[in-house]
Amino acid sequence: MKMKMTSVLVMLMLMLVVLCSSTMTSMASSSVDSPFIIAHKKVSITRLKSGSDKISVSIDIYNQGSATAYDVTLTDDSWSSDVFDLVSGKTSTSFERLDAGSLVSHSFVLESKVKGMFYGAPAVIKFRVPTKAALQEAYSTPILPLDILADRAPEKKFEWVRSIHETPLYLP
């Protein structure tokens, strides 16, 4: 139930960001062609048999603007080595360009070392716009706090099946 509520909240946040970005894009495109970067950070936790949690992180970067972004770098350095081991991938990457209307994704996997609540920061995306000298910066959506290695009640998979079979069937 908690995961479904979390998913709903994340989707609502993403829809709000997309709605705001489409408004901003239409306002921006009327005056100047430029990239408009939106990034969505998603995290899922899986309990491993070894007694640790596997954290899968995925970041989607969208260019909703009307021009190409160049020298795009993604950095997600909120994953402390005191709390997590990097299992696969890298927490940062770069792309030569991100054309208008396109999407790139990046993912990596971590394993937890410490039990407790974790509050991650948004990922940082830096990019170059040919008409501006300074690098531009954008941030991903934040993640909800993660309860790492939390004591979870066992799932009740069979109770639902049993309750269906115990419910009397009434025919008119």
Side-chain angles (χ1 to χ4, degrees):
M1 179 73 171
K2 190 175 184 179
M3 285 301 279
K4 287 183 182 180
M5 183 63 101
T6 301
S7 297
V8 169
L9 289 173
V10 169
M11 289 304 294
L12 287 173
M13 286 176 33
L14 181 60
M15 289 183 346
L16 179 63
V17 168
V18 170
L19 178 64
C20 290
S21 70
S22 64
T23 302
M24 295 296 289
T25 301
S26 63
M27 288 171 36
S29 65
S30 62
S31 59
V32 175
D33 287 339
S34 65
F36 189 84
I37 303 298
I38 298 173
H40 179 60
K41 182 176 178 178
K42 301 172 281 203
V43 176
S44 65
I45 299 177
T46 306
R47 178 64 47 94
L48 300 174
K49 289 183 181 181
S50 65
S52 63
D53 283 346
K54 178 176 86 170
I55 294 89
S56 300
V57 181
S58 172
I59 303 167
D60 296 328
I61 305 171
Y62 305 87
N63 181 353
Q64 294 291 314
S66 56
T68 300
Y70 295 93
D71 303 326
V72 179
T73 60
L74 164 69
T75 306
D76 190 10
D77 58 4
S78 64
W79 307 96
S80 169
S81 60
D82 295 338
V83 180
F84 302 99
D85 282 329
L86 187 61
V87 175
S88 67
K90 295 180 181 179
T91 58
S92 62
T93 191
S94 61
F95 307 94
E96 184 178 324
R97 60 189 289 156
L98 185 56
D99 293 325
S102 64
L103 155 75
V104 292
S105 295
H106 178 69
S107 59
F108 53 93
V109 179
L110 305 154
E111 191 171 318
S112 61
K113 294 197 258 185
V114 178
K115 180 178 182 174
M117 292 299 289
F118 174 74
Y119 301 89
V124 178
I125 298 91
K126 293 184 180 183
F127 59 98
R128 188 173 55 77
V129 177
T131 58
K132 296 183 180 179
L135 281 175
Q136 305 300 300
E137 202 168 90
Y139 297 93
S140 73
T141 54
I143 59 170
L144 295 173
L146 302 175
D147 196 358
I148 300 171
L149 295 172
D151 297 325
R152 294 182 178 99
E155 292 185 27
K156 300 178 181 180
K157 295 178 182 178
F158 298 108
E159 260 187 47
W160 182 76
V161 173
R162 187 180 63 195
S163 67
I164 288 176
H165 292 297
E166 291 175 357
T167 305
L169 181 60
Y170 297 103
L171 296 173

